[in-house]
Amino acid sequence: MKKNYIFKISLLSFLFFMGGKIYAQHTDLVDDSQTQILADTTRSYFIPDATHKEMRWSRTKNKWFSAQLGFAPILDYNAYIQNEDSKNQVGTQENRFDIRSARVMVSGKINFKNPWKYLISVEYKGLDRPDDSNNFGFTDFKIVIPVSEHSEIAIGKVKETFVYEMVGDAANLPQFERLLNPFFNSRNMGAVYHYYLMNNRMTLAAGVFKDWLAADKSFSDSNTTFTARVTGLPKWDNDGKEFVHLGIGMRYVDAKDNVIRLKNKNESNITDNYVDTGNMDASHQFNLSMEQLWSLDNFSALIEYVHNWTATTDYGLQQFNGYYVTGSYVLSGEQRPYDKMAAYARRIKPTGKYGAWELVARVGRNDLETKEVHGGINNRYDLGLNWWATQYWKAGLIYGISNLEKDGIIGVTNNFQFRLQWIY
C-alpha cells in the first residue's frame, strides 16, 4: 500500500513539472476575447514552471484546424476524526490518498468561415463523472458552433446550464469540492444555446438533454432534462476590479425509470454518502437556483441557494434545499478575473514570485430531510488556505467540520483535506 502511494505521488510530481507556459489553464473552453483570464506566459516563480518553448509538442495549427493538449492531474489526501454517532450513521471513514482527477484534454478550432470550437476530454475518475461510471471515460465531447455575433450553440456531452459551482472550472473554485451536488448533473448529452447581450454584461443560456446513450435506451424512451440560466452584472467598475454578479437558474428532470435519488458525500470524493434520500418513486423533479458573487479587489463573497421540488408517487410533493456562502481573501492582492462569456470568475493569476495566497471560509447546508423522506441534514463549516504557486499549479489545505443530523442523532466529522493540482 505504501509503495502504491509513493508511485502516485511520483507520477503526479512528474506531471506537475512537465507543463508549459501557454494560454491553457482551464478544464473547459474559454473565449479568446477574454484575455484577462488567460495565462500570463511572461511570469516566473519560485516554484519552477515549464516554458512555452518546452511545450511546443502539445499544440499544432494549420489552415484547417488547431489543437491543444491539456492536462488536469489532481491529488488529494483526506483524514477524518469522527465521534461515535458519526460512525454509527455513515461508518468509519478511511484516511487515504485519492487521485481526484487525471484528465487529458484536446481542444481547438475548426477553421470554417466562422470557426467552430471543440473540446474532448478523457479522465480517470475525476471531478465531473458519476460514482457508478467506469474508472476511465469521456468527460467532455462537444462542438461549439457560432449562430450569430452574439450567440452560439454547443452540442454533444456538455455541461448543464445550472448552478454556479458547475458551469465553470470546479478545480479553480476557492473551495475544493462542490456542495450542491444533490441538485445537478455535471454533464449530459444534449444541446446548449448561449446568447450574450448588453456588451456581454448579461447572458442567457438554455439546454435540453436526453441520456439515451448512457441509459442504453431509445431516444424516445430516455428521460429528458431542461435547464436554463440567466446572469447579469449590475455593477462593473474599475475594469472589473469591483463587480456584482447575479444569476438565476432552473432545472427540470424527468425521473429515470420513475426513480429519483438525491445524495451527497462529505467534502471529499472518497467518503460514503452523508445525505441520501434513497430511491424515491417519482415522476419528475424541478430545481430553482439563485446565485450572487460580490467582488471588491482581492475580497469576494459567493452565495448560492437551490430549492428542489420532487413529485413522489407515495408522499406527494417533497421539498429539499441546499446553500453555501463562501468568503475569499487573497493576501497577496490578486483577484479572480471574471469571464463574461461564461458568467464565472476564473483562476487566480499570481503576480509575485512566491505566488498568491488565499484564505477561504465557507458555511453550507444540504437538507434532504422531510417528514416522509429521511435523507439527513448536513451542516458544513470550512476554513482553508490556497497557494496559487504559479499560473498552473496550486496547493491547498482545508479543515472542515460536518454536523450530520440523521437517524435522531448528530454525528460530528472533522476532516482535513490536502490538495495538489496542476491545470494546463
Side-chain angles (χ1 to χ4, degrees):
M1 184 68 71
K2 183 177 180 181
K3 290 182 178 179
N4 190 34
Y5 289 155
I6 293 173
F7 169 76
K8 291 178 181 178
I9 295 171
S10 300
L11 175 62
L12 197 73
S13 298
F14 170 74
L15 290 171
F16 281 159
F17 293 102
M18 67 178 285
K21 273 188 181 176
I22 59 173
Y23 287 150
Q25 63 174 173
H26 307 282
T27 57
D28 202 357
L29 289 174
V30 296
D31 195 286
D32 292 343
S33 67
Q34 302 296 294
T35 56
Q36 74 281 3
I37 71 173
L38 302 178
D40 185 348
T41 62
T42 67
R43 300 284 180 182
S44 60
Y45 299 96
F46 174 74
I47 297 295
D49 209 354
T51 66
H52 183 75
K53 182 178 180 180
E54 289 171 344
M55 288 300 287
R56 286 179 298 182
W57 62 269
S58 70
R59 58 191 182 272
T60 185
K61 183 179 182 180
N62 55 45
K63 66 179 181 180
W64 296 290
F65 71 93
S66 64
Q68 167 68 61
L69 283 176
F71 308 94
I74 301 174
L75 177 68
D76 287 349
Y77 181 77
N78 301 275
Y80 308 95
I81 302 172
Q82 301 171 259
N83 68 0
E84 287 302 316
D85 286 337
S86 174
K87 293 177 182 178
N88 291 332
Q89 290 170 324
V90 296
T92 301
Q93 304 302 301
E94 181 183 4
N95 302 337
R96 66 178 177 90
F97 285 98
D98 176 41
I99 298 178
R100 185 64 180 91
S101 176
R103 187 182 305 183
V104 178
M105 302 161 282
V106 59
S107 61
K109 293 182 178 181
I110 303 171
N111 294 324
F112 297 118
K113 182 178 179 180
N114 293 314
W116 295 12
K117 295 180 287 186
Y118 68 90
L119 171 66
I120 302 169
S121 66
V122 181
E123 188 165 18
Y124 171 76
K125 294 185 178 179
L127 296 170
D128 298 321
R129 298 183 60 242
D131 295 336
D132 57 357
S133 63
N134 295 326
N135 283 342
F136 285 91
F138 285 99
T139 300
D140 300 278
F141 200 111
K142 70 176 178 180
I143 295 176
V144 181
I145 304 169
V147 177
S148 70
E149 182 181 356
H150 302 292
S151 63
E152 62 188 19
I153 187 169
I155 58 174
K157 188 176 183 182
V158 298
K159 289 184 175 182
E160 295 186 3
T161 61
F162 184 71
V163 173
Y164 181 93
E165 285 187 310
M166 183 61 246
V167 299
D169 302 308
N172 292 331
L173 286 165
Q175 62 268 27
F176 288 179
E177 300 288 347
R178 305 176 180 122
L179 190 137
L180 299 176
N181 290 290
F183 310 109
F184 65 75
N185 184 21
S186 65
R187 304 296 201 282
N188 211 335
M189 293 296 300
V192 172
Y193 177 77
H194 290 272
Y195 187 79
Y196 312 98
L197 61 162
M198 298 178 63
N199 196 26
N200 298 331
R201 288 184 60 167
M202 186 173 183
T203 72
L204 309 176
V208 58
F209 308 90
K210 298 280 284 186
D211 70 340
W212 83 99
L213 289 177
D216 194 25
K217 293 183 176 181
S218 68
F219 185 85
S220 59
D221 290 338
S222 61
N223 70 308
T224 305
T225 299
F226 300 98
T227 65
R229 181 174 180 247
V230 179
T231 70
L233 291 168
K235 178 180 175 66
W236 182 264
D237 295 331
N238 298 332
D239 294 324
K241 292 292 185 182
E242 302 175 17
F243 67 84
V244 175
H245 158 105
L246 300 176
I248 187 169
M250 62 77 62
R251 180 174 185 254
Y252 172 90
V253 186
D254 284 335
K256 184 177 181 180
D257 298 323
N258 295 315
V259 170
I260 288 175
R261 182 182 181 185
L262 307 179
K263 60 182 180 177
N264 199 15
K265 297 181 179 181
N266 187 47
E267 191 63 17
S268 168
N269 186 50
I270 62 173
T271 70
D272 293 302
N273 291 317
Y274 269 49
V275 288
D276 188 351
T277 62
N279 290 338
M280 297 180 289
D281 293 331
S283 60
H284 66 272
Q285 60 167 301
F286 179 81
N287 300 267
L288 183 67
S289 69
M290 292 172 283
E291 61 192 63
Q292 297 183 49
L293 173 60
W294 303 71
S295 183
L296 178 61
D297 295 321
N298 55 331
F299 172 77
S300 66
L302 174 60
I303 306 166
E304 192 158 22
Y305 175 82
V306 175
H307 200 94
N308 171 283
W309 294 264
T310 297
T312 69
T313 302
D314 298 326
Y315 308 120
L317 193 65
Q318 298 291 295
Q319 298 188 46
F320 311 99
N321 64 79
Y323 77 88
Y324 67 87
V325 180
T326 299
S328 162
Y329 182 76
V330 184
L331 298 172
S332 45
E334 292 88 346
Q335 178 190 36
R336 276 186 173 74
Y338 187 83
D339 183 346
K340 288 185 176 180
M341 307 303 284
Y344 189 88
R346 297 288 189 177
R347 187 192 197 278
I348 290 174
K349 297 165 58 178
T351 57
K353 180 179 179 180
Y354 297 99
W357 295 86
E358 178 188 30
L359 290 174
V360 179
R362 183 180 68 173
V363 296
R365 175 185 176 98
N366 276 319
D367 185 349
L368 303 186
E369 186 79 14
T370 70
K371 290 182 179 180
E372 294 83 11
V373 179
H374 304 294
I377 301 172
N378 195 20
N379 299 284
R380 288 284 313 179
Y381 310 92
D382 300 290
L383 183 65
L385 177 67
N386 291 320
W387 179 33
W388 303 90
T390 73
Q391 296 284 309
Y392 303 106
W393 74 269
K394 179 194 86 168
L397 177 65
I398 293 283
Y399 165 68
I401 299 174
S402 163
N403 292 332
L404 177 60
E405 303 173 29
K406 194 174 185 179
D407 304 327
I409 56 178
I410 299 178
V412 179
T413 302
N414 295 266
N415 72 282
F416 298 86
Q417 187 176 25
F418 176 72
R419 173 167 291 181
L420 286 172
Q421 71 177 46
W422 184 70
I423 308 298
Y424 173 81

